[in-house]
Amino acid sequence: MNDIRRTILWVIFGFSMVLLWDQWQVHNGNKATFFPTPAQQSTPSGVAAFAASQAAGVPAPVVVPGTVAVPVVETRATTKALVQIETDVAKLSFDTEGGTLVRVELLKHADEHKLGSNVVLLDDSKDRIYTAQTGLISSTPGFALPTHKTVMSVHPGPRKLKDGDNTLAITFESTAQAGVKLLKTYTVKRGAYDMTVKQDIVNTGAQDVAPQLYFQLVRDGNKPAGESSFYSTFTGPAIYTEAKKYQKVEFADIKKKKVDVEKNSSTGYVAMVQHYFASAWILPNGMSRDISIDAVDIGAAMPDCCYRVTLISPLEAIQPGKTKSVIATLYVGPQEEKKLEALYPGLELVKDYGWLTILAKPLFWLLHKLNNILGNWGWSIVSLVVLLKAAFYWLNAHAYQSMAKMKAINPRIMEMRERLKDNPQQMQTEMMKIYREEKVNPMGGCVPIALQIPVFIALYWVLLSTVEIRNAPWVGWIHDLSAPDPFFILPLFMTLTTLLQTALNPAPPDPMQAKMMWIMPLAFSVMFFFFPAGLVLYWITNNVLSIAQQWLINIRMGVPPQFNLPKF
C-alpha cells in the first residue's frame, strides 16, 4: 500500500503491539511499560479478615529506635465511638480511637454506581479500609506513647458548619501515656477539601521527651468500584519531594518489595491516588521527615490486605510542662487541578497525565478557560478540538493533499499493478516512475499525522482524568460526560464518521489491505461503546472536522470526493 492509509494501518498496528507488550509484561509479573496497570483486586472477604484480625487483638509491633515502624494493626478499644462533622462539601467521620479520620463522603460528587448516593472516599467498613492516621512513636523501647489506636476524648463544640461561618474545628485529647499527652485539632473550611491538623504534644512528665510524630494513609488494594476494563488508571501511593519530584508506586511493586523512592526529605507530601480523587498529608517545608511505603501483613488469612504510605518526623526535646505544636495539612477530595496547585506546588501531579504531562497541562488550561466562557464542559471539549484542528490546519492540509494526489493517480496504479502482477520488480520500478512524474510522495502524509498524534493522545488523558467533567451534563440524554453514553448514540455516530473517513481515502491496490482498512476501524470503534461520553465526543468532533477538511481539499484539487466501498 503506497498511500496515507498505510500509515494509519501502521499506527493502529503499532498501538496494538504496545498494548500486547504491556499485557505480556504484566503476565510475566513485571510492571507495564507504557500504560499504568490497575492494582490487583483483593476480595471483600480479605478486607473482612482484616477487620476480624483487628477485633481478635493483633499485638502492636515493637518499635526499634531509628526505624520507621508505625503500629497499624492493634487491638480495637471497646469504648471507641464515631463523631461526625459536616461542611458544605463533605461529611467527615472520626473515630475516637486515635482521633482518626475514617470516613469522608463528598457531597458534591454523586456516585454513578450507587443511585442516590455520594462518593465515599475514605472508609473503614467490612468492605473497605482507607483511613488517615497520626500518632506518636517513642525513640526509647518500652515507652508506649499515644498512637492512632489510643482512645481519646472529644471536646464539645458544633458539629456542622453553620451559615455565615467559614471554619469548623474538632479536638481530640488523649490521656497521658509515659508522661506525654496528645491533642489533635482538625479545622475544616467552607468550600474546601483540605483541612489543617494541629498536633499538640504536651510533656506532663518530669523529664525531657523527644518523640517522633507520624502521619500515614492506609488503604486496601481494591480497585475503585466500577473501574473500566477498557482503559487503565493509576491506583496507589505516591510521594513528592523537591529532590525527586513526583513518584508513584504500584501496589504490585509494594507487594514484591520493589519500592525505590526517596527516604528522607524536608519538603513535599505523601498521597493515595485513584481515578478522579486523592488524599494527601502535607507537612511544613523545612520539617524533616522519613518516608516509607509498605504492605501491612496480617497473617495467612490475608497476607497483604492493606498498603500504607508514611511520614515520620523527629521532634526536638520537649521540656517538662512544655507543649510542642505541629500543624500539617490533610487533603481528601477530588483532583481539581487549579485548587491542588494553589494548595501546594506539585500537588496537582496526583492528577496523572502519564508521560505526556508537558502537553496535557496546557491543554487542560485551555479547556478550563473555554469552560469559564461557555459554562458547559461538553461544548468546551468541542471548542478545544476545533481550536486544535485550526492550529494543525496546514499540517492536515498537506496530508490530505497528498491523499488527493494518490487518489487521482490510483486508477493508473491499479491498471499498472494488474498488468505487471507477474513481474514484481518491474511493477515497483514503474510505480516509482509514476510517483516521480506526478510529483507524488507516498509518505507525504506521514509526518503531519505523526506530529499531531502526541497532542491528541495528551488530550485523551486530559479528558480521562479531569474530575470536573464527572457528573457534568452536555445536551439531552448525556447527563455525565465521564460515563458511557447510556443509549450508545455517540459511539454509533463515531463509528459512522470513522467509516465515512475510511471511504473517502484512496482504495489500496491490494484487496487484502483494502479489507483490513475496513475491519480495523470497526474493531477500534467497539472500545468506544464503553468509553466516557466526553472522550467519544472529542473523537467525533475530530472525525467530522477531518472529513470536512478532506472534502474541501479534494474539491479544490479537482478530485471529486468518491466513496470507496468495501468489497468482501
Side-chain angles (χ1 to χ4, degrees), residues 8-9 13 51 99 102 160 181 214 232 252 254 274 300 321 346-347 354 371-372 395 406 448 473 488 500 513 523 556:
I8 298 173
L9 268 179
F13 177 78
V102 295
K160 186 172 183 178
K181 183 167 64 173
Y214 67 85
S232 176
I254 301 173
Q274 67 185 60
L347 185 58
N371 185 66
N372 288 341
L395 281 174
M406 289 296 301
F488 303 111
L500 177 59
Q513 292 177 343
R556 285 182 177 178

Side-chain angles (χ1 to χ4, degrees), residues 319-395:
Q319 297 176 352
K322 299 294 184 180
T323 300
K324 171 68 177 178
S325 297
V326 176
I327 298 178
T329 299
L330 175 61
Y331 182 88
V332 184
Q335 297 170 5
E336 296 178 1
E337 189 168 328
K338 298 301 179 183
K339 292 183 179 179
L340 294 175
E341 282 180 341
L343 184 59
Y344 188 88
L347 185 58
E348 76 281 359
L349 296 177
V350 297
K351 183 181 179 183
D352 190 13
Y353 293 134
W355 59 281
L356 287 172
T357 298
I358 192 171
L359 294 175
K361 284 182 69 69
L363 286 175
F364 174 77
W365 176 86
L366 183 55
L367 180 65
H368 190 267
K369 292 295 183 183
L370 289 170
N371 185 66
N372 288 341
I373 297 171
L374 301 175
N376 183 288
W377 285 101
W379 291 120
S380 299
I381 292 170
V382 172
S383 301
L384 179 57
V385 178
V386 170
L387 291 177
L388 288 176
K389 294 297 287 187
F392 287 116
Y393 179 84
W394 296 111
L395 281 174

